[in-house]
Amino acid sequence: MTDPLSRLLDTRDWLLADGATGTNLFNMGLSAGEPPELWNTDRPDDIRSLYRGAVEAGSDLFLTNTFGGNAARLKLHNAQGRVAELNRIGAELGREIADAAGRPVVVAGSIGPTGEIMEPMGALTHALAVEIFHEQAEGLKAGGADVLWVETISAPEEFRAAAEACALAGMPWCGTMSFDTAGRTMMGVTSSAMVALVGKLAHRPLAFGANCGVGASDLMRTILGFAAAGPDLPLIAKGNAGIPKYHDGHIHYDGTPELMGRYAVLARDAGARIIGGCCGTMSDHLRAMRA
């Protein structure tokens, strides 16, 4: 039996993904430096509200609140022993909201980078990276995630390790990398290099693309770069709502709902099949994008 995301992609020209996790949670009271994953157990109603907000705005899929839910990241908060629990509950809360939606909604288990530098420049080995990602993947699988969603990756070695971990968990997955103003990831990967990387994976993603970065316009350049390379998999565009600016003691993204609505149409016309927002993207932006 095919997975729910593949079934939706088979019947629809485009799918609307969700918006920001962090920005929404900061608006609910998350403190700077506080790991949002702990809210899965400490403030589950707020996480339900986060997920429900995306569904009610028209999203066909949303990401779980598990971006930093790997042992390497949770170790910074002495919570490395809670990987399975926090990821399972993050996915279970998502399953609950998706199943109550009255239409097909995909629960995508978010897997962010380890925060470590891979060999040879850093100390993180391939085997350890696979182990870290696999532990998180199994937690998300146990909680009922439909697909795994590897995001904001910079290094090709880390992307390959995540792909291997998804295979070990026996789960379909999607993967996005984050590109900067120079059109490269922090570790130098270009859009065409990412297309080549994805094409050589043993366990290929259902879809791939770009997220976060510098804003919707720079993300569009990356999407056009993917499309020009002629990939045979659906493309994902998940751009930030404009540029972050510091106002009155907090970070504000300057992208309006109108701007994000125009970006959504541009992304679709450039060939993206799964279109959403990243940092700064709220329900108002998603509603404009859906329209």
Side-chain angles (χ1 to χ4, degrees):
M1 190 165 127
T2 56
D3 63 276
L5 180 56
S6 293
R7 291 199 294 273
L8 277 178
L9 286 167
D10 283 345
T11 57
R12 297 268 303 279
D13 292 335
W14 53 268
L15 302 176
L16 183 68
D18 61 354
T21 296
T23 314
N24 278 287
L25 294 183
F26 281 126
N27 287 348
M28 294 179 192
L30 184 74
S31 305
E34 182 185 358
E37 293 76 22
L38 298 187
W39 278 29
N40 293 345
T41 53
D42 298 350
R43 296 178 61 167
D45 283 344
D46 285 322
I47 302 307
R48 289 184 181 98
S49 179
L50 168 75
Y51 297 159
R52 197 179 292 113
V55 172
E56 289 176 351
S59 295
D60 299 299
L61 69 89
F62 62 82
L63 274 53
T64 56
N65 177 43
T66 53
F67 176 81
N70 63 67
R73 293 281 289 267
L74 289 174
K75 190 175 182 180
L76 303 173
H77 309 281
N78 205 29
Q80 65 270 31
R82 299 183 63 191
V83 172
E85 173 202 14
L86 293 172
N87 283 277
R88 176 180 56 77
I89 293 171
E92 284 175 351
L93 294 170
R95 187 77 271 143
E96 180 187 322
I97 299 303
D99 290 347
R103 61 184 172 88
V105 175
V106 173
V107 179
S110 172
I111 296 178
T114 61
E116 307 284 333
I117 305 292
M118 302 261 321
E119 286 185 329
M121 288 190 285
L124 182 62
T125 65
H126 175 79
L128 183 55
V130 172
E131 184 182 322
I132 288 169
F133 286 132
H134 183 215
E135 181 185 25
Q136 185 176 11
E138 290 291 352
L140 291 163
K141 180 182 181 179
D146 293 307
V147 298
L148 302 177
W149 194 280
V150 177
E151 57 171 331
T152 327
I153 304 295
S154 296
E157 298 85 1
E158 196 166 30
F159 199 81
R160 280 193 282 268
E164 193 173 318
C166 292
L168 286 172
M171 287 288 284
W173 68 292
C174 295
T176 59
M177 298 181 92
S178 185
F179 297 78
D180 62 21
T181 48
R184 295 173 179 268
T185 72
M186 190 169 62
M187 293 302 178
V189 181
T190 62
S191 52
S192 58
M194 186 181 181
V195 174
L197 166 67
V198 167
K200 292 177 185 151
L201 293 171
H203 182 45
R204 298 214 301 165
L206 301 178
F208 75 96
N211 78 296
C212 205
V214 193
S217 57
D218 272 27
L219 186 117
M220 279 303 309
R221 178 176 58 180
T222 300
I223 298 301
L224 290 167
F226 291 145
D232 61 350
L233 293 173
L235 294 176
I236 299 164
K238 223 166 176 290
N240 291 348
I243 306 294
K245 294 183 176 171
Y246 194 72
H247 279 306
D248 300 327
H250 70 279
I251 299 293
H252 171 76
Y253 283 80
D254 65 3
T256 61
E258 182 195 16
L259 179 143
M260 291 301 281
R262 296 204 328 254
Y263 140 74
V265 173
L266 288 168
R268 180 200 64 190
D269 293 350
R273 300 272 317 276
I274 301 173
I275 301 157
C278 204
C279 304
T281 309
M282 314 299 282
S283 293
D284 287 349
H285 297 101
L286 291 174
R287 277 189 282 271
M289 292 164 69
R290 179 95 210 174

